[in-house]
Each structure stands twice: as C-alpha cells, then as structure tokens.
Amino acid sequence: MEEMFASVPSSDGDIAVLAEIVADVEAVQAQLTAAQVAEMRALARAGQLAEKQAAGSRDTVRVHDMALRSIAAELGGATRVTDRTMQTRIGEARLIVEGYPSALAAWEAGRITRGHVRAIVDAGTVVPVERRGEYEAAAIERCLHDTPNRVRPGLEILAERTAERSFTDRHREAATGRKVRLIPGRDGMSTVIADVPTVIGDGILDRLTQQAQTIIDTRDDTSVDAVERDRRGIDEVRADVFADLLLAGALALDPTATGDAPGTLGTIRAHVQVIVPALTLLGTDDGPADLVGRSPIDADTARCLAANAPTWARILTDPVDGTVLAVDRYRTPWPQRRFLQARDQHCRWPGCRRAAIRCEIDHTIDAAKGGPTALWNLAHLCQRHHSMKQFTPWKVRQVSGGVLEWTSPTGRIYREDAPAPPVAFMPAYTGDAPF
C-alpha cells in the first residue's frame, strides 16, 4: 500500500517567526545555563559547609551525615523537595564542582551542555582520581561538536581505557548476575525484565523488531473487514512475537507462511554492528569494543562475535583525525554499502544515533534529479529523518570527507562530520621508517 506525503509548506513570514523563536529559545537557554551553574555551585557550598561543621569531631562520619541531613532539609523546605532528594543533589553538585571543574566551566561558557556534563561524569565513575584531569580534558574536546547521546559511547570507552580494572574483567563478574524477573503491574499487566549482556539484549530487540516489521509489512487491509484489520503498532507486535517465541518456540501465526510450509519469519536473525580494535581481536588488549547504538561491550564478546561472524570488515583510519580511509571485507555484494556503514556508523541527521545497519542509504542529491549512486552522494538516514529530508524545507549538501551540511528552514547551517571510530591507533615508528 502506497502512502502519500505532502511537503511541509512554509512562507517567508513563517520562517521569520521561526527564526525569532529560535533566537528566543537560545537566549532563554543561556539564562537557564547561568542559573543552573549558579545553583550547582551553591549546592556544593552547602555540602562543604556540612563537612566544615563536622571537622574536628571524633565521630566525623556521623556528625557530617547529621549536618548534611539538616542542611538538606533546610534547602528542601525552601525549594519544596524532600531532604533525601536535596541530599542527593548536593552530592552530585560537589562531584561536578570539585571533581570536574573544567567541564563545569565549559558548560558555563556555553561550549557544552548540561547533558554533556552528565555524560562526562557518568562515564568517569571508573576513572581513578589521579587520572581524572586527563580524562576530563579529552572528554570535553569530544563533546564540543556533537550531542550528548552521540558522545556518550566514546566517553565510556575513553574512561574504560583509564580504569583500574578492565571492562572485560568487570563484565565477566557482572555476567554472573544475569537473570529474568517478573514485576506485576496494574490492570492485569506485568513487566518481564531480563538482565543479559548488552550485545545479547541488542540482538534480541533487533530480531523482534525485524520480525514485527515483517508482520506489519505483510498486512493486506483491503482483504478483510474493517473491524478485523490488524491495527497493532510495532510495540504491540514485538511484545506478541516475544511471547510466542518463548511460550511456543515459534510464532502462533506466521503471515509469511504459504500453505502448510513454514514462512520466512522464523529465518530472520539478529544483526548487530560492532567496532573492534585490532589489538582486542589479537588478544593482546582487553579494552572494550563499540556496539554501535549501545556501547561498550567486553573484549571476550567482541572476539567471539568476530570469530563466528560470516562477514566482517577491516577499516583503515586516518592516524590523525580517525576518519575512515579504506575498507575491505569478505563475501559482500556491494562494496559501497560496507564503506558507508564503516564511515557513517549511524544516521547522519544531526544528533541521531540510530545504527547504520538499521538505516536507509540516501542519495544526498536525489537520484530522480540526476544524483549519482556514488560514495560522495550517499549517506545513511533513518526512516524518520529520511522522510524529513524529503518532505520538509530542510536541505543538505555533502562536502569532502563525508561531511554533511544541513540547512534549516531559517537558514542556519548544522555541520555533521563523519564520525571517527571511538577506537583508533596511532602508527608506531622505529627510527625514521614507519613500522
């Protein structure tokens, strides 16, 4: 069934109004940033005051806790939140103000956002205190030109490289706690939670999504009465497929089946996109690999995936900026696709991080308008943003190195660089000759 879309209309007056709204939002955002930073510094001072009040006491820990509770209760009463919530916020404020002063300054200056600071702090929990400054400087640099959701996986891998215990060691220990839980809910519903390794969870969701989408795509609403039409959304279909597979080992109803023969639905397998450092593959390094869209995964899992994968790609990156220079791969039907997946990693709309294997390859200059199927004219876009490119006033231009320049309806340009792989290696040199 074909769907018809109409382009979003816009006039010069609408664009002028939108430009004014954007400017107002930017001004408000600057005011919010100033207020939030000031509040964070004030809360940190509250925590420092509690520590000062407890100094010199024989029972410093208990006295400090009581002082902090009292101060938190006072602040909570003034701001109408519980003292427990305020105590947590005081602790977070001290961690940022005292532990990550450069990130706080960058946020205050508008170079990064609160979300970036949160990502830096969350990833930095594994970083030893003596190496925190080194990590913080590198993390801020990574945050300058991308959104928090995009930089978070790279920050996690960066932090893991400085951790006292390797990610792989910690994963082996954490994996012993995998389990399935059932949490009763309301209205006859319950939530099933499975604590599993990330790559397994990503594969489970991917397979369910593929199967659910196949079921939706095979619908023939014209052959049934309107009352009998399958109106389930993809979330509902995913949940039903999940239940069928676990309870019966197969789908109760496979719309792809023909006659008595099994359908193609059961042959669908999960796809995951992983970037593994060469040294990790060789077993000489236990650093984490990057599961695109989730990140990170442990070295043992990465090596297992590489050993059993029917296809894999070797990526040569620039030693300075990490951009993809070349790709080779075995048993691939389309060399362009493997190059683009390695280069793009995810949807190339600003801020989107949907993995490339779940996106569509778009012609920057539409093929219908003469745009060639060439690397310099191709990029991955998820279905949502592919449609926005087609049916809204947003425009895009691709320049060298896979860089996309998106122009908004108000004329603002948002540069979308080709992402550098989160794991990269500098060339080693022996004397004057490269190794």
Side-chain angles (χ1 to χ4, degrees), residues 219-236:
R219 290 174 179 167
D220 182 7
D221 289 345
T222 62
S223 64
V224 296
D225 184 85
V227 177
E228 299 177 356
R229 288 177 186 169
D230 185 353
R231 299 180 181 275
R232 293 176 298 169
I234 192 166
D235 284 333
E236 295 169 275

Side-chain angles (χ1 to χ4, degrees), residues 365-386:
I365 302 173
D366 291 345
K369 298 179 180 179
T373 304
L375 292 175
W376 60 265
N377 191 48
L378 299 172
H380 282 88
L381 292 177
C382 67
Q383 189 177 43
R384 171 187 174 85
H385 293 129
H386 198 172

Side-chain angles (χ1 to χ4, degrees), residues 7-92:
S7 296
V8 176
S10 62
S11 65
D12 291 342
D14 289 342
I15 292 174
V17 172
L18 178 58
E20 183 180 344
I21 292 172
V22 172
D24 287 345
V25 170
E26 283 185 326
V28 172
Q29 189 63 52
Q31 295 171 359
L32 283 174
T33 294
Q36 289 169 345
V37 171
E39 180 189 41
M40 190 153 292
R41 289 202 168 105
L43 292 177
R45 290 202 310 273
Q48 293 161 356
L49 176 61
E51 187 173 315
K52 174 179 174 292
Q53 291 176 351
S57 172
R58 291 184 179 181
D59 190 0
T60 303
V61 174
R62 189 181 70 83
V63 174
H64 174 263
D65 184 55
M66 290 297 106
L68 183 58
R69 289 187 192 184
S70 177
I71 291 172
E74 177 77 29
L75 292 173
T79 57
R80 299 183 183 180
V81 299
T82 67
D83 58 311
R84 288 180 181 273
T85 297
M86 184 56 66
Q87 190 168 337
T88 299
R89 290 173 59 185
I90 290 172
E92 292 173 345

Side-chain angles (χ1 to χ4, degrees), residues 130-201:
E130 61 272 15
R131 299 194 64 182
R132 188 178 286 168
E134 168 194 349
Y135 158 74
E136 183 184 21
I140 292 171
E141 189 64 30
R142 292 195 179 201
C143 290
L144 294 179
H145 306 294
D146 223 329
T147 57
N149 69 315
R150 283 265 190 90
V151 300
R152 184 179 292 273
L155 296 181
E156 291 174 350
I157 292 176
L158 176 66
E160 291 295 344
R161 292 285 173 183
T162 66
E164 292 178 332
R165 289 183 64 201
S166 75
F167 180 85
T168 298
D169 283 344
R170 300 201 320 273
H171 173 77
R172 289 170 184 160
E173 180 179 312
T176 62
R178 58 190 182 278
K179 57 186 176 292
V180 177
R181 290 169 287 157
L182 180 68
I183 301 177
R186 302 180 63 180
D187 302 322
M189 300 296 289
S190 290
T191 300
V192 180
I193 299 177
D195 295 315
V196 296
T198 300
V199 69
I200 300 298

